[in-house]
Structure formats: structure tokens, C-alpha cells
Amino acid sequence: MLVLMVFVAAGSGLGCTSPPKPSVVPPSHPAPAPAGPQTFSGSVDALSGAIPLAADEYFPNELQVHPGDTIKFNEVWSGEPHTVSLGTLVDQGPTATALPAFFPRPGRGGDPIAAAAQPCFLDTGTPPATTACPRVGQPAFSGVQAFYSSGWLPPTSTFAVALSPTIKPGTYTFRCLVHPNMTGKIDVVPPARTIPGPAQVTAAGTAQLNAAVAALAPAVADASLVTATNVAGITTGDGVTTILAATFGPTELDVGVGQTVAFNVYGMHAIAVAPPDSAVGLLTQGPDGVVHVNNAAVRNVGGEAPPLGVQTRARTVFGGSYQGSGFHNSGLLTSLPPGLLTYRLQFSAPGTYSLRCLVHPAMAATVKVGP
């Protein structure tokens, strides 16, 4: 039997908390004071030519701006769902009880909470528990709105936050409603103060990303050499982290007919053989803007149904036997340290088969089954 891991993470923490995230300070020597409002750009999640990433971070995660400036948050889609959410409720911290959870039952495949998954702009009060927020045009961010949220960011989308000219200097938090430890800070300073320009802020985000990739590289290299313990999500530490390499380790396997391959699962994955295009992607969005879970991605096809919810105790899920044709899907597998799920799948017919994670579309592997 071969055992694989699915997912590589950099750094480590204890239990279900993440280690402090490195922030990359924009270069010194700020640009001269601008003549008017500026537009800054940052990334939500990240792409790297070196490593397939799933990054629960903003790049950069800190920046300085003036009143009247605009910040564009560009979704770089890895398959992980994200939001950009601000407001006085967000400033209270990740444990604020009035903030809507994105998924009502994480790891169970139910549709997202409408107030979290769709745009929401509330001057006062709290988001509704079971319905979407009232539909209004997106206002400028004043710093005093109770809740100001992008909702789910579809692939390649941009959420532009125009700061009110009257916003008070201070620090404002933004965060993802899906990933509580995915946060950032906007430092609004008086117009007369010199700050790093847009190009310098972009460079800071790039430096932050390069540091994350460098930290992951040794674990990814080790995973490619695995012969006895294969992975579906690979971690360099024992805790929960925010920067992950969405990869199988190794990405090519040679096994015999009737051999079982086992995947140690770190994070949230759905391991599939020969999936249709309609099964790829965790979420879908209808023409009315309503966000749904893609049932074809999260429901198992063949073998034992996976346990519901986020698993933190070691457990094995038996995927049955793949006979050489048709769509096979583990269903949604979600596990985090200290204990990980192990997904086992037997290959009973010779051939070359493509594996894919239905949550992270770039995450793929090849299994060659010989006599």
C-alpha cells in the first residue's frame, strides 16, 4: 500500500491556531506626496510559478493610505473561498459573535450563509442570520459602518474599496469570513503624511509572497521524493497554517493492479478520478448572485462516505475500488492537526489515471497502474 499526503503548509502552530503571520513592511524611501487620491492594489490568495499555492492571506496584509484613496483587492483563485470584510464588527476581532459565519456547518457541504456569501453594506446593526443583506449600491468606506463586505469573491474578481475623504485617521481591520486567521490592516494617515506609493505597496506584497514560497519549497521538494508516505496536502509543521501548497506528494505514482493508495489529507479536499468539468470548484454563483455549494464536488461517488465536518482525530476513509472507468469522488475530506484523515483507494485495472482535487483545480496527480 502506498500512502500519500495532500497539501503542503509552511510554519506551525498549536492546536487550531495559526502562527503569527509575517508582514512585509513596504520599502523605505516613500514616494513623494501625491497630488490627489491614489489607487492601491493587493491580492487575495496568491499564485506562484514555483509551487501550486492555496494562500489564506492578503498580499500585502498591511498598507498605509490617505483619506479618499482606493484599495483594489484582486482575487487570485486557488479554489479556496474568500471574502474581504471590514467595519466596526470586524474591528472587534475574529470572535465577534455578530459576524456571520460563511458556512453554517464547516466541512459538511451546506450552502453558505447569504449575509456572508453575498455583498453586504450596513451602516448600523448586525447582518441577518438567515437571509441576505438588503441590496444597496456599494458606498465609500467611512470607517464607521458596522459591516462592509465583498461577499464571496469569484475567480479573478476585484473588490474595490473607495475610502471616504472624511474617514478618520486610524487602523482598520479587514478579514476573510471563511478563514478567521486571514486578516490585514489599513492604516489611514493624515493627507500631509508621506506614505509608500502604489508601486511600493505592490512590491511589498510580492516580497511577502516570495517569502512564503521560499518557506514552502523544502517541504514540496521532500514530498516529490516520497515512496512510502504520500500526501494530499503537505505540512512542514504540526499545526494549522495559512500558506499551503495545494499539491499531491508525489504527483506521479506507479502501482500494481489491485494495489491500494492512501492519502493523508491536510486541509479541505475532494480527491477525484476522471471528474467532469461540472464537478470542479467548491462554490457556484447563480445569475441572481446567490452562492451555492457545488454538490458534484462535495458528494462522494463510490466507496465510503467521508465523515462530516472538520476532523482533528486520525481516521481512515475507505474509497473502495476503482475499476478503470467513470467518475470517482472521495467527497469532501476535511482534516486538520493533530489528527488527519487517511483516504484509501484501490486501483483494480491497468491504465493511467488522472487524479484531481475538486476544491483546488490546479492540484493534480497521475497514477500509472501496471500488471
Side-chain angles (χ1 to χ4, degrees):
M1 180 183 72
L2 291 179
V3 183
L4 296 92
M5 291 184 67
V6 183
F7 230 54
V8 183
S12 63
L14 297 176
C16 291
T17 61
S18 295
K21 294 182 294 185
S23 61
V24 177
V25 179
S28 56
H29 313 297
Q38 300 185 96
T39 297
F40 299 86
S41 293
S43 297
V44 183
D45 213 323
L47 287 178
S48 166
I51 295 173
L53 292 178
D56 297 341
E57 284 199 19
Y58 302 98
F59 298 88
N61 52 21
E62 295 185 19
L63 70 162
Q64 288 184 323
V65 295
H66 291 135
D69 286 344
T70 296
I71 306 168
K72 289 185 175 180
F73 293 90
N74 302 306
E75 169 62 33
V76 182
W77 193 61
S78 69
E80 292 283 323
H82 299 298
T83 75
V84 177
S85 305
L86 308 92
T88 57
L89 294 176
V90 174
D91 289 334
Q92 293 175 16
T95 59
T97 56
L99 286 176
F102 192 88
F103 291 110
R105 298 178 301 168
R108 294 174 180 261
D111 277 351
I113 300 294
Q118 298 179 45
C120 183
F121 307 105
L122 299 177
D123 289 334
T124 59
T126 59
T130 59
T131 61
C133 296
R135 293 195 176 188
V136 298
Q138 182 181 346
F141 180 62
S142 65
V144 297
Q145 287 111 327
F147 191 57
Y148 187 103
S149 181
S150 64
W152 174 58
L153 291 170
T156 71
S157 62
T158 294
F159 181 57
V161 178
L163 302 177
S164 169
T166 60
I167 189 172
K168 292 182 178 180
T171 299
Y172 302 90
T173 299
F174 54 94
R175 61 160 289 190
C176 175
L177 296 176
V178 185
H179 307 97
N181 293 312
M182 182 175 173
T183 63
K185 294 181 180 180
I186 301 169
D187 187 15
V188 179
V189 303
R193 185 182 302 180
T194 301
I195 60 174
Q200 292 169 298
V201 169
T202 299
T206 300
Q208 181 182 330
L209 172 58
N210 289 342
V213 171
L216 279 171
V220 174
D222 288 346
S224 68
L225 302 175
V226 164
T227 56
T229 305
N230 306 288
V231 297
I234 312 158
T235 176
T236 60
D238 297 326
V240 179
T241 63
T242 58
I243 304 289
L244 307 162
T247 185
F248 291 95
T251 56
E252 294 185 1
L253 290 170
D254 290 293
V255 301
V257 173
Q259 191 166 359
T260 295
V261 179
F263 304 84
N264 290 335
V265 178
Y266 182 100
M268 180 171 61
H269 305 279
I271 300 171
V273 185
D277 290 342
S278 59
V280 179
L282 180 63
L283 299 176
T284 63
Q285 189 170 38
D288 57 358
V290 177
V291 180
H292 301 282
V293 163
N294 183 3
N295 287 324
V298 303
R299 292 180 178 172
N300 76 297
V301 178
E304 176 187 1
L308 298 176
V310 180
Q311 306 298 306
T312 57
R313 297 175 60 185
R315 176 173 173 178
T316 298
V317 178
F318 296 93
S321 176
Y322 187 67
Q323 301 296 320
S325 63
F327 173 39
H328 182 98
N329 184 10
S330 67
L332 196 61
L333 301 164
T334 309
S335 63
L336 294 170
L340 300 180
L341 291 175
T342 298
Y343 182 71
R344 296 180 59 185
L345 179 62
Q346 183 184 49
F347 289 86
S348 300
T352 300
Y353 306 107
S354 295
L355 299 185
R356 194 173 186 185
C357 174
L358 300 182
V359 177
H360 306 95
M363 182 174 168
T366 301
V367 179
K368 296 179 180 179
V369 182

